[in-house]
Every structure is written in structure tokens, then in C-alpha cells.
Amino acid sequence: MHTNRLANEKSPYLQQHAHNPVDWYPWGEEAFERARREDKPIFLSIGYSTCHWCHVMERESFESESLAEVLNRFFIPVKVDREERPDVDRVYMTFVQATTGGGGWPMSVWLTPELKPFFGGTYFPPDDRYGRPGFRSVLEQIASAWASDRPRILQSSHDVLAELEKHIQVSGDAAYLDDRILESGFNVFRRTYDVRLGGFGNAPKFPRPAVFNFLLRYYRQTGNQEALHMTVNTLKAMARGGMYDHLGGGFHRYSVDARWFVPHFEKMLYDQAQLAISYLEAFQITGDAGLQETARGILDYVLRDMRSPEGGFYSAEDADSVIDPARPHEKGEGAFYIWSAEEIRNLIDAPAVDWFQYRYGVEATGNVHEDPQGEFTGRNILYEAHTVEETAERFHLTEAEIRRGLEEAEKKLFAYRSGRIRPHLDDKILTCWNGLMISAFAKAGQVLGESKYSKAAATAADFILSKLYEPSSDRLLRRFREGEAAIQGFLDDYAFLAQGLLDLYETTFGIQHLDMAIRLTETMCDHFEDREMGGFFSTAEGQESLVLRIKDDYDGAEPSGNSIAILNLLRLAQMTDQVRFREAAERALIAFGPRLASAPVALPQMVAAFAFSRSKPKQVIIAGDEKKESTREMIAAVHRHFLPERIVLLAGNEESRQFLSRLLPVVKDMAPLNGQATAYVCENYACQMPTADLQELTELLQ
């Protein structure tokens, strides 16, 4: 068996390639120095451990002795986990997208020894097929060109890099910042909304929670019912489809079709975190019990299957899993989740089996009728083909009878499924994604009033701060796995964790969480902000191995670090009245002003932050003993309402009152009235008359 340098790495993705015949290096000076010394180009391969086509390219090319021989002879092969090193991924993805018009993973890029890209793409089959050039022929052509046409390659890499530097420049203008940004963003999503099936655009359909965040806030500010309707209908359509795991909870990555039926089966932590919040916020607005149930399904799945014993959250579960335990090396897409009708009939007694099959669309010969890869032949993906009400009507029974039978059937199938070989778990713990998950559990604690969720948020925060935070420098590390914390944190680590801590503070009101959010944000401003032009770089200063320093602004599957950083700064400006935070947010919004005006569809989370900046945020300061029922009732009354443009502070015990008074001197004079918890509702530090009456508080909040 071959063993290369990746065997010494902690990344599950890199370890998956540790026994390839390819002479892989991790990203670092050892590889760069050898490339310079031997005057060879670098072949850079970027992916992640739950990436389906990454697995395919490994099996076809990186496990091939003959292809490895060509790769090792002419190139210095370097492998990068994009989830550990998003900085490297962003730089070279920008190049691939600019030069090919598309991008994705696995990403394959050829670099000069000075790390300048000159050719790139995504997945390459081993030989010419699918209209794609084969990996072998690409390697041979590039090796030949490097030997015979070096000056042209070097000049090309220099020119491309110069163009990319121009392309990524952010130059702001405050004139672009007006309310037309909000209207423009809404109208784009309105035009692309799928009225029949929910979602935006055509297949494949990806959940993009930043869009829901914007639309719900647009609804809150304008009262536009269409924005609410588009969001709620999409969330319900997603929850009915096969993209949602109806037995175990949680969402798969995306739907390959337009009706949310056939998913790509990997489960990512960042999707669970953001979607849980979308369902919770939609529930706050509508009171729809189905939305609440889906949110609980997501959160309970994460607690059961994605949490480490110490309380941090793992990164992902793979799409592929073992089809037959007797053949453990044969894996199929979604094998863990799909069913034959015969399996279901053997597990569920009549008549409940008929109810189950009717509700979840099970067919005797399989229910996936468009299956070009033949992966689901004879199998069923569970989806809500009929409601409980429709099922009761079909079988002439009460809804209560049907519901009891379905719940028992679901438990049996879940127990049986739990005995299957689970998909690969990427068990690295990332600071940024844990920050998102802390937000989700904190908000669940607020909205649902359940301590198990707020405790999960607090435990995860304690874990991250004990393992991935360096108190002496107020700096974060990005990744923890197998006892090792490593890799200096990036912008999204600081921004997402600070957001999680702010949400956690507004749930449990532990001042240590607010204090840490402030400190991390100050560190972020010190090391990531472009104080001259505005906005934040994705990497801290001093990253010499990167040929570009990028300010990422695209709110895709994850929100951009800039979008969350801006919103954190605006919230902290309300909580602390620190001019530094307000001015940094203003500089960033001005910097991205032209992008906000021209392409709000690409920046929905930043548009939501902009909406916060244009609103009149309410500051709700509650004075009262957190152990008293009246205080808890008042906090619950605030959390009952969807109020995204507000901050909440609790002047409780003496320590918290002193801490808050140092931030906002006005808090010093805020006290409970007649021993009862009292709310002070303010705008721009001008406060209404204090009230201890819950109904009056509700009126003030509205």
C-alpha cells in the first residue's frame, strides 16, 4: 500500500488521499520550495470529504498507478481541503470561474512555482469522455507546454493575475446606498420565484437561507405579504420533498430536480444551522406548527448525529454509503436513506404499511422515474406525497388514528435504518460553522423556550472558546480534530462565532458571551479590516502564500464573512454605542455599495444588514432578577415576536448591571419598578416610559 505525506494531516479529506500512489503534499512551504527547486509546475487539487465527484476523480485518476506516474514525474501535486483552507479555495476558484465560466469541486488548477495559476477546471475524467478532455491528456499537454512554451505560460499567469486583482477590487460610493437596493432585491427574487413548486430558478434547486433572511426582513419592514408568501411556500415545499429526511430529520444538500424530490444526499452542518433559523423565524411570524416541527427535526438530528461528546458540532455526512455490507467497498448515492417497497412491507404491519406507503409515495417498483445513473432502481425516496389529513380521508379513519400508526411505522423504519452502515462522517469541528449552529440553537431557545437548545448552544460556545481560542492574543483557530486545534482563523470564523455569541447572549444573558463577542469583533477589525477602502479581507494580514487577498461578498450556501461582520457591527453599535463599530459598518456598506446596487441577488444577507442600518432599531433593556418568573415572562414576551431590528439587554444581577453600564451609562439608572421586571424600550437611546406590563410591552415592540 502507498502512503504519502497526507497521512500526517488531520483533515478527513486529506486522509482519504493518504494512500494514493500520487505523491501528494499538503499546502505549504515544503511543496512550494520543491517546485521552485525542481522548476516544476504545481498541480493543485481542492475538494472536501463529502464531495461525490471528488470521490469519483480519486477512484478514476488518483488511485491509478499510470496516471500517478505522469502526475508525479511532471508536477508537484498538492491537495487542499477547501473547508480547512477557504482562503486558498477562494483565490483559485476566482481564477477558474473567470477563465472557464464555471466552478465546483473537485477543483483542479495548475500553478507556477510562484503560485500563479495558468490553467484550471473542475472534474476531469481519466480519458476523453462526456465532452471533457481526459486527465491524462491534460497532464501531458501541460507538461509539454511547460517544457516548450514557458515564457508564454508565465506571461499568461502574470496577466491573468493582474486582471483578477482589478476584478476583485472593491471601491465604494455612498451614493449607491438608498432604499432602491431593497426594492431591487425583492423584485429579482419575485421574478425568479417558482410559483408552482417553490424556490427560485430551475433545477437543481439549492436552499439558500440568506434569501429567506432578506425576504422575511423585507416583509417585516414593508408589510409586503408576497415576500412572506414566497418564503413560507418554499420552506414548506422543501420540507415535503425528499430533500428533507422524514425519518431522521435534517436536510440534504440540494435537490437535483425542480420539485425538491431527488436530493444530493450529503448533509452539511451549515445548511442545518441556517435552515433551522429560517423555519424558526417563519414560525414566529405565522405560528404554523408544521414549520416549528421541521425546525425541531433539524435541531434534534444535529444533537443526535452531529455533536461531539464534548459539545462541538461535526461538519458533514457523506452522500454515498455502503449498499451491501457484504461488499463494503461498493457505495451508492443515498443508499443509507432509500427503501424498497418489500423492505417496508417486511417491517411495518398492515394496515399501517398501506397508510405509510400512501403518505410517503412508496411504489412497488420504486418511485424515482427519472434516474439517468440508475442509482435508485427499484428503490424509494420518502417524501410527503399526501398529508395526514388526505391519508385519513383515503382510508376512512380519523387523523389521530392515522397519526399514531404513522409515528409507530416511522420509529420502526428509523430503528432498522440505524442498523445500516452510516455514511462517512466528516468529524472535524470548524469554528465558523459552529458559530452558525450556536446561533441556531440559541434562537431555538428563544423562540421555542426549551432549555435543551439553549444549553446546546452554550456548551458548543464553551467548547470552541476552550479549544480554538487563544486568550493571550484574542485570536481564533479554525479547525479542531483528534485533539489538535490548527489553522489561523479567517474572517468567517470571527464573524460567525461573534454572531453566535451575540445570539447566545440574547438567549441566556451571560455577560461573558457579550464580552467575548465584543473582543472578537475588535480583533476582527484590527486584523481583517481595510480601513482605507472599507470592508474586510477574508484573511488576516501577513498571509504570504496567497497571491491575492480577497474581500468575499457572495452570500451563497453560506453567508459571506463581510455580510455577517457588518450586521454584527451594527448590533454591537446599538449594544455598546461604540463609534468604532458603527463607522466600520458604514465603511463596509459604502465599499460594497456598487455591488449592493447592481447585484443584490448575489448579496441577500448583506442587503438584510443594509436594511438593519436603514431601520430604527429598538433597544430593549429589561431590568429584573433573571431568576424571577416576572423577568422570564418579560424575556419570553420579547422573543415571541419576529423583531430582527432590535437588541435585548438584561440588567439583572449587580455584575451584569455594572458591565452594561460601562457600555451604556444610561443602564445605570434603569431599575425594576416595585420589584417587578421592567422593560425600557428605546430608539437611539431615547426611551419610552418604562413598563412592567406585558401587554404594554407588546404594543411598544410593535
Side-chain angles (χ1 to χ4, degrees):
M1 178 185 287
H2 298 276
T3 300
N4 58 53
R5 295 165 192 80
L6 301 186
N8 299 319
E9 296 296 307
K10 292 292 187 183
S11 157
Y13 176 63
L14 299 188
Q15 288 187 350
Q16 286 171 353
H17 294 262
H19 300 292
N20 296 163
V22 177
D23 188 21
W24 291 116
Y25 283 81
W27 180 266
E29 185 54 36
E30 184 184 3
F32 309 153
E33 192 279 327
R34 184 181 165 197
R36 292 190 296 266
R37 185 176 71 249
E38 298 184 10
D39 196 24
K40 289 181 178 178
I42 291 167
F43 168 67
L44 174 63
S45 176
I46 302 180
Y48 55 102
S49 80
T50 58
C51 162
H52 174 73
W53 285 100
C54 300
H55 301 330
V56 172
M57 193 165 176
E58 180 188 17
R59 288 195 300 268
E60 293 178 338
S61 296
F62 301 145
E63 291 180 354
S64 163
E65 297 278 355
S66 62
L67 276 171
E69 191 278 326
V70 176
L71 195 50
N72 295 338
R73 179 157 36 109
F74 294 112
F75 303 95
I76 306 300
V78 173
K79 179 64 75 172
V80 166
D81 182 340
R82 68 171 293 263
E83 294 168 355
E84 283 195 342
R85 294 302 304 261
D87 54 333
V88 177
D89 180 61
R90 286 189 188 105
V91 168
Y92 296 109
M93 182 62 77
T94 301
F95 164 76
V96 170
Q97 289 173 330
T99 54
T100 70
W105 300 276
M107 181 162 56
S108 306
V109 192
W110 284 261
L111 320 177
T112 69
E114 290 71 40
L115 308 182
K116 296 179 180 180
F118 62 87
F119 185 79
T122 53
Y123 162 77
F124 290 96
D127 301 300
D128 298 353
R129 67 174 79 150
Y130 316 133
R132 292 173 177 265
F135 191 52
R136 183 186 303 276
S137 62
V138 170
L139 291 174
E140 290 170 346
Q141 289 173 33
I142 292 175
S144 175
W146 184 258
S148 63
D149 202 6
R150 180 85 55 87
R152 186 179 64 81
I153 289 176
L154 295 177
Q155 186 61 48
S156 170
S157 69
H158 175 79
D159 294 344
V160 165
L161 207 58
E163 284 301 311
L164 289 179
E165 284 177 339
K166 288 183 201 171
H167 175 70
I168 65 172
Q169 287 298 323
V170 174
S171 56
D173 187 338
Y176 286 95
L177 297 177
D178 62 44
D179 290 339
R180 285 175 293 184
I181 288 171
L182 306 179
E183 293 300 320
S184 175
F186 168 71
N187 285 323
V188 170
F189 293 118
R190 186 187 189 196
R191 285 195 300 273
T192 58
Y193 175 64
D194 185 335
V195 177
R196 191 169 63 90
L197 299 170
F200 303 89
N202 300 315
K205 281 184 175 173
F206 289 79
R208 198 173 163 213
V211 175
F212 306 141
N213 292 349
F214 162 64
L215 288 173
L216 292 180
R217 283 150 184 77
Y218 182 81
Y219 159 75
R220 167 68 188 168
Q221 287 198 1
T222 67
N224 187 307
Q225 290 289 328
E226 198 172 355
L228 177 62
H229 173 82
M230 289 191 295
T231 302
V232 171
N233 272 17
T234 299
L235 291 172
K236 287 185 173 183
M238 287 168 50
R240 288 193 298 268
M243 213 181 89
Y244 182 69
D245 180 354
H246 293 278
L247 296 180
F251 277 91
H252 301 297
R253 182 65 198 91
Y254 63 88
S255 174
V256 302
D257 58 12
R259 63 188 182 105
W260 309 103
F261 172 45
V262 179
H264 178 47
F265 280 92
E266 68 185 315
K267 286 181 172 180
M268 309 301 296
L269 185 68
Y270 58 76
D271 282 328
Q272 315 311 321
Q274 296 176 90
L275 286 171
I277 291 172
S278 295
Y279 281 91
L280 288 166
E281 291 185 343
F283 166 67
Q284 267 185 310
I285 295 168
T286 65
D288 187 303
L291 297 169
Q292 177 190 186
E293 185 180 344
T294 304
R296 289 181 184 276
I298 297 169
L299 296 164
D300 292 345
Y301 155 69
V302 172
L303 287 178
R304 184 186 66 241
D305 292 336
M306 298 285 281
R307 183 164 65 161
S308 75
E310 294 171 283
F313 299 109
Y314 299 135
S315 293
E317 287 194 295
D318 208 335
D320 297 353
S321 45
V322 173
I323 301 169
D324 182 349
R327 302 192 300 276
H329 297 297
E330 293 182 19
K331 294 185 177 181
E333 169 92 12
F336 181 75
Y337 301 99
I338 57 181
W339 301 86
S340 69
E342 183 182 9
E343 279 180 307
I344 292 172
R345 286 210 163 269
N346 289 337
L347 290 165
I348 305 174
D349 296 331
V353 66
D354 296 321
W355 312 343
F356 183 90
Q357 293 193 143
Y358 182 77
R359 171 151 167 74
Y360 288 110
V362 176
E363 298 178 19
T365 58
N367 64 5
V368 184
H369 304 303
E370 295 181 16
D371 183 15
Q373 306 294 327
E375 292 178 295
F376 308 118
T377 302
R379 313 287 279 179
N380 290 273
I381 297 171
L382 302 184
Y383 74 105
E384 288 191 12
H386 300 95
T387 65
V388 172
E389 294 79 3
E390 289 168 340
T391 307
E393 185 176 341
R394 167 71 174 77
F395 292 97
H396 310 293
L397 295 166
T398 66
E399 288 181 27
E401 288 173 309
I402 291 291
R403 204 176 292 278
R404 282 196 298 272
L406 289 173
E407 287 175 358
E408 189 62 32
E410 289 161 8
K411 287 178 184 175
K412 287 180 180 178
L413 289 188
F414 178 77
Y416 179 83
R417 194 182 81 173
S418 298
R420 292 174 174 172
I421 299 174
R422 290 195 68 87
H424 157 71
L425 173 69
D426 186 325
D427 61 355
K428 68 177 179 290
I429 294 172
L430 296 176
T431 299
C432 56
W433 295 356
N434 273 254
L436 294 175
M437 205 70 238
I438 290 165
S439 284
F441 278 111
K443 292 204 170 191
Q446 295 175 19
V447 175
L448 304 178
E450 290 199 21
S451 61
K452 74 171 181 178
Y453 295 135
S454 51
K455 285 178 181 175
T459 301
D462 290 345
F463 174 84
I464 296 296
L465 293 172
S466 67
K467 302 293 187 183
L468 289 148
Y469 169 66
E470 298 175 330
S472 60
S473 61
D474 279 332
R475 302 293 285 266
L476 289 172
L477 297 173
R478 181 172 180 84
R479 185 265 294 145
F480 181 88
R481 185 169 187 263
E482 295 180 345
E484 180 193 85
I487 307 170
Q488 285 297 316
F490 302 110
L491 174 63
D492 55 355
D493 294 301
Y494 286 85
F496 295 4
L497 181 58
Q499 175 182 250
L501 292 170
L502 288 176
D503 292 331
L504 182 54
Y505 168 75
E506 291 189 327
T507 305
T508 65
F509 298 100
I511 56 172
Q512 73 275 21
H513 299 129
L514 177 56
D515 182 43
M516 185 57 67
I518 293 169
R519 291 163 67 178
L520 290 176
T521 303
E522 289 173 338
T523 302
M524 180 189 78
C525 290
D526 289 342
H527 297 287
F528 293 85
E529 189 186 6
D530 182 345
R531 280 173 286 280
E532 181 181 350
M533 302 299 293
F536 296 85
F537 293 105
S538 298
T539 54
E541 73 275 272
Q543 293 274 0
E544 287 98 6
S545 67
L546 294 178
V547 293
L548 291 174
R549 198 172 177 216
I550 291 174
K551 293 179 191 173
D552 191 32
D553 61 3
Y554 178 63
D555 297 316
E558 304 168 57
S560 74
N562 269 289
S563 296
I564 299 301
I566 292 168
L567 189 54
N568 290 347
L569 289 163
L570 292 168
R571 291 172 71 183
L572 282 169
Q574 293 293 320
M575 290 175 157
T576 68
D577 201 27
Q578 280 196 36
V579 173
R580 177 188 188 183
F581 294 150
R582 187 173 289 108
E583 289 181 345
E586 289 170 356
R587 283 194 298 269
L589 285 170
I590 291 170
F592 293 108
R595 283 274 287 156
L596 285 164
S598 65
V601 66
L603 288 71
Q605 184 64 49
M606 195 178 292
V607 177
F610 172 67
F612 187 103
S613 76
R614 305 288 280 194
S615 69
K616 295 179 179 177
K618 283 185 166 59
Q619 300 141 327
V620 183
I621 298 101
I622 297 172
D625 183 345
E626 53 263 52
K627 296 177 183 176
K628 287 190 174 180
E629 184 66 22
S630 64
T631 306
R632 291 197 295 271
E633 286 178 351
M634 189 153 278
I635 292 168
V638 175
H639 287 156
R640 199 170 297 125
H641 302 282
F642 178 62
L643 300 168
E645 290 89 21
R646 63 101 177 103
I647 59 99
V648 189
L649 302 173
L650 177 64
N653 59 34
E654 189 58 29
E655 183 185 9
S656 70
R657 293 182 66 83
Q658 288 184 7
F659 179 82
L660 294 177
S661 296
R662 288 195 295 273
L663 300 176
L664 292 173
V666 68
V667 172
K668 185 167 51 179
D669 300 320
M670 294 179 173
L673 300 177
N674 302 319
Q676 292 295 304
T678 301
Y680 296 77
V681 180
C682 316
E683 283 182 13
N684 294 325
Y685 311 106
C687 301
Q688 302 289 330
M689 290 294 292
T691 181
D693 183 85
L694 294 180
Q695 182 58 41
E696 190 174 344
L697 170 61
T698 297
E699 292 170 5
L700 288 173
L701 292 174
Q702 296 297 336

